[in-house]
Amino acid sequence: MTKAEFKKLVENGPVILDGATGTNLQKAGMPVGVCPEQWILENPDIMIKLQEDYVAAGTDILYAPTFTANRIKLEEYGLADRLEEMNRELIALSKKAAQGKALVAADMTMTGQQLYPIGDLMFEDLVDVYKEQAEVVADAGADLFVVETMMSLQECRAAVIAIREVCDLPIMVSLTYNPDGRTLYGTDPATATVVLQSLGADAIGINCSTGPEDMIEPVEKMAEYATIPILAKPNAGLPELENGVTVYKTGQEEFASCGKKLVEAGASIIGGCCGTTPEHIRALKEAVKDMPVHKPLTQKRRILASERKLVEITLDGNFMVIGERINPTGKKKLQAELREGSLNMVRQMALDQEENGAAILDVNMGMNGIDEKEMMINTIYEVTSTVDCPLCIDSSHVDIIEAALRIYPGRALINSISMEKEKMDKLLPIAEKYGAMFILLPLSDAGLPNDSEEKHAIIRTVMEQAIKIGMSKEDIIVDGLVATIGANPRAAIECYETFSYCKNELGLPTACGLSNISFGLPERTYVNTAFLTMAIAHGLTMAIANPSQELLMNAAFASDLLLAREESDIRYIERMNMLAEKYAGQERVLVPVKKAAADDQAKPGSQEGRSAIFEAVLKGNKGGILDEVKKALADGEKPDEIINHHLIPAINEVGVLFDKQKYFLPQLISSANTMKMAIEYVEPMLERNDAEQKATIVVATVEGDIHDIGKNLVVLMLKNYGYNVIDLGKDVPASLIVETALKEHAKVIGLSALMTTTMMRMKDVVELAKEMGCSSKIVIGGAAINESFADEIGADGYSKDAADCVKLVDRLLEE
């Protein structure tokens, strides 16, 4: 199936997907803990019958049961050597069931391993894992791909890149979201939509997360951004426990009625996930068959994205700053740190610039004495784990830009692409492949343009070439190419002409390197600020500048206010209030007369009342934590004081930020790992007797469930709080869990389950603990778990995340 054929199919929709596979196979006898793909191949008639029933109910696209048939998952069952054979046979089963009446989508999902820097799996290794499976299923005759039930945007990117590098088949991608509307890693539906459609997905959606009614709002949000069709595949409600059995209570008529609302909200591809049956799909088909489908946006919105945040660029919107600080040029201290492999200053520069109002951060690692590509990649990992701002990838080397774009978990900006043949011919296809926006630099092989007319001709040429290869003008920001006023008295005027031309005639946003205008002049800040305010009035959209220059930033906010831009009055007042609070009781100098001696240094991270150790944990400063701990020890602090007065309060603050959704999983893990390093260093110095040791806790993912991301984080957090944690791993039988708790005199048993099909194993542990006289408190958690389920099975508590689990355990042990 071609992408054009897929697009036409959806235009004539709504397209009907199938319903649940796992919950129906379990009803048909598939036991817990087996490899689903192997069981299906051993019982093919059951799978074929289920899918035949879906086709008869009106399914247009069947999901082949290749869900977890990737190398990493199959290795857990000792079946990796059968990957090709199994995937081919599974595709063949679905083709047989479809009988030409439905398309067959090769189904791929997450591997269960965490990507670096949170985990150990490298991005390129994951791409290879997905490529291996994609090559087999494409060759076996799959009509298209679906990448589903994903929690990590970066894993989605790896799958889409892998598939696109293997074949040209259409790709649908759907993620699963928590009740707070974000994935485990902090991605919201709008951000996922922008990133994945830019990368080349043909449909974007949501599955499994919830029942159909609660899926309406995220679908509506996706529709505001989607230039591709939207997919919705809800559960038949949330799972409930009834007479010891997990049930889904949303009946087929209610499901179908909500399905109509999903189509009205913007979903043009619709089906069912956990708990749905062929009867649900039949009712859904009947309910939506005559409904018109939502038309995706025909014009792109100019949006950059990190993994957790969108930044939209509009021609008449508020002025934006691209933070320029992460660049070693002229910064001797930063150069020295980079040569040592340290990214402490980079991390602090990123935090400072975000705090001071930068919308985007420029990252440039161009200097001698380092491997620039390796340092760029390391910096991408570090900065994306530290701040939410989207990044601008800045390098003079094509291969370095591509390497950075490949691993960047969002939609980046390239700085820059000119009309120089080497740049235009190589970088434009790279920008298109990775869905990046780019800054168009109006240079040619002949060098600088002679005048505005030549500059504008270059802009048109590069824009036309970008559109020719499949990009759009919404992917482009034009650099005004600021010359120094000392050499060219008309430098500013010529830039104003370009800003106005791009905005008013081409409909393009503009950027510039602001400080170039004042090169060689005294008191440059005044010249830069005057240039900025006039440039904004002529249409300048953003500038590459230092957001810590308050006069410059304040002038930008004031310019937006005077131009009556949306909410500029509120933004100006909020900024002034923030500065007033920041400088309360201090003398304030907007423009220093002399350059500070340490101008190239990032400011210290500590705030008043917070120690450097506290700040290191809060900011996830793994490179600097041990130095701060050693300083504290040298100053006479005792090891237990460091833990109790600095480390524990810091991780508590991280938990608060996580609860408020100011921090997400990457920051939480980064801070937890930083604290872990400090505790491992001071622990041998502690003088504790056995009575002072904290309680033992046994933690496990229950039998049949091979997901352990959440469980691993719980283990890490509990250990950081001083508990003796015994981690039994994943897919652990109830007998081993209870026997270990008895043997180790554990005060608490912690159970994790991601899948609705395995959550009942938690009840097995609760019941077995009672039978064996185990007095351990039992706490549970996981994506499908809630407080009600914990009460129903007799658990002692439920925690929604790792930070909450620590509080729960503390509370239970106090009781």
Side-chain angles (χ1 to χ4, degrees), residues 596-612:
D599 184 57
D600 65 341
Q601 299 183 33
K603 72 176 184 182
S606 300
Q607 296 183 18
E608 189 174 351
R610 290 178 172 180
S611 70

Side-chain angles (χ1 to χ4, degrees), residues 17 33 54 105 143 199 282 297 302 330 343 348 390 457 474 484 541 544 596-597 609 635 658 669 679 707 733 751 764:
L17 304 171
Y54 279 132
D143 297 300
L199 193 62
R282 181 175 288 105
L297 300 178
R302 295 181 184 90
L343 292 173
Q348 193 60 51
E474 285 76 29
T484 176
T541 315
I544 300 172
D635 289 341
F658 186 74
I669 290 182
I679 286 180
H707 300 88
L751 303 176
D764 296 345

Side-chain angles (χ1 to χ4, degrees), residues 599-712:
D599 184 57
D600 65 341
Q601 299 183 33
K603 72 176 184 182
S606 300
Q607 296 183 18
E608 189 174 351
R610 290 178 172 180
S611 70
I613 295 173
F614 183 104
E615 287 292 320
V617 173
L618 192 68
K619 306 301 185 185
N621 183 1
K622 295 184 288 293
I625 184 67
L626 293 186
D627 287 341
E628 300 300 342
V629 168
K630 290 172 185 176
K631 287 177 188 175
L633 290 169
D635 289 341
E637 284 204 66
K638 296 179 180 179
D640 59 339
E641 291 175 341
I642 289 173
I643 292 175
N644 295 325
H645 298 167
H646 305 288
L647 296 176
I648 296 293
I651 206 69
N652 284 340
E653 178 66 14
V654 170
V656 170
L657 293 171
F658 186 74
D659 285 341
K660 292 180 177 178
Q661 293 187 31
K662 292 183 177 179
Y663 270 22
F664 297 98
L665 185 65
Q667 294 105 317
L668 184 63
I669 290 182
S670 182
S671 292
N673 280 328
T674 302
M675 181 175 174
K676 179 184 177 186
M677 290 177 65
I679 286 180
E680 287 176 347
Y681 182 79
V682 300
E683 201 165 32
M685 308 175 196
L686 294 172
E687 296 179 3
R688 287 181 176 170
N689 56 45
D690 290 340
E692 293 175 318
Q693 296 292 329
K694 276 201 169 184
T696 295
I697 303 174
V698 172
V699 179
T701 299
V702 295
E703 186 174 12
D705 202 314
I706 53 174
H707 300 88
D708 61 358
I709 293 173
K711 183 266 297 176
N712 291 343

Side-chain angles (χ1 to χ4, degrees), residues 190 193 217-227 230 265 294 297 299 301 303 312:
T193 299
E217 186 177 340
V219 167
E220 289 175 337
K221 180 56 68 175
M222 284 187 278
E224 294 178 24
Y225 296 88
T227 58
I230 297 170
H294 171 82
L297 300 178
Q299 184 172 333
R301 295 169 66 170
I303 302 175
E312 183 161 13

Side-chain angles (χ1 to χ4, degrees), residues 238-249 759-760 763 788-794:
L238 293 175
E240 298 180 37
L241 189 64
E242 202 169 77
N243 298 321
V245 178
T246 305
V247 296
Y248 295 84
K249 291 190 174 180
M759 55 196 287
M760 284 307 301
K763 186 182 180 186
S788 173
F789 180 75
D791 292 340
E792 289 178 28
I793 68 170

Side-chain angles (χ1 to χ4, degrees), residues 51 203 214 247 303 367 400 492 503 579 629 745 751-752:
Q51 293 201 317
D214 292 330
V247 296
I303 302 175
M367 60 172 279
I400 292 174
K503 178 182 178 182
L579 291 174
V629 168
H745 306 291
L751 303 176
S752 173

Side-chain angles (χ1 to χ4, degrees), residues 382-396:
E382 189 68 41
V383 174
T384 54
S385 298
T386 303
V387 297
D388 292 337
C389 288
L391 300 188
C392 176
I393 310 301
D394 188 354
S395 176
S396 57

Side-chain angles (χ1 to χ4, degrees), residues 15-22 24 51 54 59 61-64 67 105 107 146-149 172-176 204-212 215 219 222 230-237 255 259 262 267-276 281 284:
V15 172
I16 305 299
L17 304 171
D18 58 14
T21 297
N24 286 308
Q51 293 201 317
Y54 279 132
T59 290
I61 300 176
L62 284 174
Y63 283 17
F67 186 60
D107 193 349
V146 61
V147 180
E148 63 146 328
T149 321
M172 304 187 295
V173 184
S174 65
L175 293 91
T176 181
I204 181 69
I206 175 172
N207 78 287
C208 194
S209 314
T210 181
M215 209 172 264
V219 167
M222 284 187 278
I230 297 170
L231 177 160
K233 210 169 190 274
N235 295 334
F255 185 84
L262 284 168
S268 51
I269 306 171
I270 189 163
C273 206
C274 298
T276 57
I281 299 304
L284 178 65

